[in-house]
Amino acid sequence: MLLDIAARALLLPVLLGQAIYLRMNVPCLPEPEGARSGTVGQGPELRLLILGDSSAAGVGVSSQADALLGQVTQRLAINATVTFDLIAKTGAKTSAALSWLDTLPDQQYDYVVTGLGVNDVTKGVSLRRWLHQQNTLFDRLVAKYGVRCVIVSGLPPVGQFPVLPHPLRWVLGRQAARFDRYLHQLVESRPDCVAVRIDLGLDESNMSEDGFHPDATVYSAWADEVSALIRADGEMLDGAEPTP
């Protein structure tokens, strides 16, 4: 921890220069087209909300069908009637997601999938503040929306993002890993949350053209883990046919 702080202080001019260069030269990919609310499938009713930043929104692919939302609902629709909403925006921090809850209707969800944290890291939110915001977010989702389980996606391995040059990649990667480690500890302390773990390395072969967002193969692996966690809830999908 002290080493990281000292390194960031010494490298600050270089880090700022690299950050400015990336902001000016890396393409800003659009959020994919497609329905963000709807109902698909047949079987027991299941209400799903995906909440988060650009990765939750599906940046890196051109259609919601290939993004997290589309791939999760495709998998769950085999066993359930899935009513879904996607509330996500490029650049969103956890504080933004909390503010969105103030304006959403009092609607019930069975599961909420969160994808937040990278922007908190890149925009300098402190770990203590971020964990408090995450915990508050989980509390409000359960209390206001009756959520059975919050599926927490955690942070990706930022230190593997191809677009980031060193030493910026090293600094952001270390900080993101630290945030993710403490987030998993928070999730493990809560019976109403579960963490998604994706053991998939990132490189040019499975990242989008901006080198910062995933491609469809990563969204597929993410969707596999999310849908498996939901299917594991036998009480929720009681009576559903097993997935082929």
Side-chain angles (χ1 to χ4, degrees):
M1 175 62 181
L2 292 177
L3 174 62
D4 289 353
I5 294 174
R8 287 199 297 268
L10 290 172
L11 295 170
L12 185 59
V14 176
L15 299 175
L16 288 175
Q18 290 181 332
I20 292 171
Y21 174 84
L22 291 172
R23 189 167 297 164
M24 295 176 62
N25 290 276
V26 174
C28 182
L29 300 181
E31 295 178 3
E33 297 182 356
R36 293 191 173 209
S37 298
T39 301
V40 294
Q42 57 184 355
E45 292 187 1
L46 189 155
R47 298 157 300 179
L48 175 71
L49 170 65
I50 295 180
L51 182 74
D53 55 23
S54 57
S55 61
V59 172
V61 295
S62 59
S63 168
Q64 286 295 341
D66 294 322
L68 177 65
L69 173 67
Q71 298 212 46
V72 168
T73 54
Q74 288 166 21
R75 287 157 173 75
L76 296 177
I78 299 171
N79 300 133
T81 300
V82 184
T83 298
F84 62 88
D85 289 303
L86 169 65
I87 303 173
K89 186 175 181 180
T90 297
K93 298 185 295 183
T94 304
S95 58
L98 278 168
S99 70
W100 298 339
L101 300 188
D102 294 330
T103 59
L104 293 180
D106 292 336
Q107 183 168 322
Q108 299 294 292
Y109 293 103
D110 299 302
Y111 299 94
V112 175
V113 181
T114 64
L116 293 158
V118 171
N119 294 306
D120 295 271
V121 168
T122 60
K123 295 176 182 178
V125 178
S126 72
L127 176 61
R128 182 185 298 273
R129 180 175 180 81
W130 181 69
L131 288 173
H132 175 73
Q133 291 172 342
Q134 286 279 317
N135 200 46
T136 301
L137 179 68
F138 303 153
D139 285 341
R140 293 184 61 188
L141 287 171
V142 172
K144 184 175 181 180
Y145 301 101
V147 175
R148 291 171 59 90
C149 181
V150 181
I151 300 175
V152 183
S153 300
L155 282 79
V158 174
Q160 298 177 14
F161 285 6
V163 72
L164 298 177
H166 287 296
L168 184 62
R169 185 192 295 195
W170 180 82
V171 170
L172 292 180
R174 295 266 295 187
Q175 184 73 333
R178 183 165 164 259
F179 272 49
D180 189 61
R181 184 168 63 253
Y182 279 93
L183 177 63
H184 277 76
Q185 292 178 9
L186 172 62
V187 169
E188 289 170 2
S189 73
R190 299 187 56 119
D192 49 12
C193 296
V194 64
V196 174
R197 296 183 182 275
I198 305 173
D199 186 15
L200 183 68
L202 300 179
D203 56 32
E204 289 84 355
S205 68
N206 57 16
M207 296 288 282
S208 65
E209 63 184 278
D210 69 355
F212 197 84
H213 291 93
D215 71 3
T217 60
V218 177
Y219 283 123
S220 179
W222 189 0
D224 283 342
E225 296 301 319
V226 169
S227 57
L229 287 170
I230 295 175
R231 286 199 199 100
D233 187 349
E235 182 179 340
M236 187 68 213
L237 295 180
D238 185 37
E241 293 294 324
T243 302

